[in-house]
Amino acid sequence: DQQVKQNSPSLSVQEGRISILNCDYTNSMFDYFLWYKKYPAEGPTFLISISSIKDKNEDGRFTVFLNKSAKHLSLHIVPSQPGDSAVYFCAASERGGADGLTFGKGTHLIIQP
Amino acid sequence: SQTIHQWPATLVQPVGSPLSLECTVEGTSNPNLYWYRQAAGRGLQLLFYSVGIGQISSEVPQNLSASRPQDRQFILSSKKLLLSDSGFYLCAWTDLAGGGLRSTGELFFGEGSRLTVL
């Protein structure tokens, strides 16, 4: 039973345009959502998070939107840059995350020049 | 500042051989520690987590085991590796007593260990 789903294995976007990565979840007990970025052969690094009591969080070029009724969140990157090419994981936690995060399968974002 | 290290970075092992991956965290005390595996097409899968010395919770039944002999040391082991154990193993930590981290569950990951079982 996959509780966090990223249905697009890959996404190709032109440099300078907006990248939109999507994530759906099924567990209504999740209260925090996070996005991680991962380069090959490296550990994931935290990008941005959002609490379930909010519907938007912005940090520079990165914005995360949360639609609780649809159990859907998205990560917007604008403008997209070549260094953004990586695998992006959506993750969720409940009860403060003591027992770990639940991750999606990831979306490979490719920024084309 | 806090740092996390895991080793070895790469490992090629024959089927049936033992495994030991080690992870240490510096700059914090009593962290929650986690082992994740990234296998092809399966995202990041939580294998074990530990909230204290000698306390291990297993999320996925398998032939792997974990131990936490010291506060900031987390070891992933196997007595006999299977082909399906191949993957990229990641150690992570969080400090739930750290105020802000408690509210997000943000994890900090190590560099990863690539295991290939032949």
Side-chain angles (χ1 to χ4, degrees), chain B residues 37 45-48 58-65 76 85:
Chain B
R37 175 172 60 197
Q45 183 183 35
L46 178 62
L47 302 176
F48 300 95
S58 174
E59 292 293 306
V60 180
Q62 61 221 315
N63 68 321
L64 299 171
S65 62
L76 183 69
D85 291 325

Side-chain angles (χ1 to χ4, degrees), chain A residues 43-82:
Chain A
T45 54
F46 171 75
L47 200 56
I48 193 170
S49 66
I50 188 168
S51 162
S52 60
I53 62 174
K54 295 185 177 180
D55 54 19
K56 177 183 175 181
N57 186 26
E58 189 172 355
D59 183 3
R61 296 187 297 115
F62 303 93
T63 303
V64 56
F65 295 92
L66 175 63
N67 183 334
K68 280 188 66 179
S69 61
K71 292 191 174 68
H72 176 84
L73 63 155
S74 61
L75 173 67
H76 293 212
I77 306 173
V78 55
S80 300
Q81 298 175 354

Side-chain angles (χ1 to χ4, degrees), chain A residues 31-34 36 38-46 49 87 89 93 95-106, chain B residues 32 34 36 38 41-46 49 51 59 88 90 94 96 101-112 114:
Chain A
D31 51 15
Y32 256 92
F33 303 89
L34 307 89
Y36 279 80
K38 185 182 180 300
Y39 293 116
E42 292 184 10
T45 54
F46 171 75
S49 66
V87 176
F89 288 98
S93 71
R95 300 190 306 273
D99 48 358
L101 297 175
T102 302
F103 286 87
K105 290 187 177 181
Chain B
N32 276 24
Y34 307 83
Y36 280 84
Q38 182 186 13
R42 298 199 58 185
L44 293 171
Q45 183 183 35
L46 178 62
Y49 70 93
V51 300
E59 292 293 306
F88 191 57
L90 291 153
T94 191
L96 293 184
L101 289 178
R102 176 189 293 275
S103 62
T104 69
E106 178 185 341
L107 294 178
F108 300 93
F109 286 88
E111 308 93 333
R114 169 72 61 190

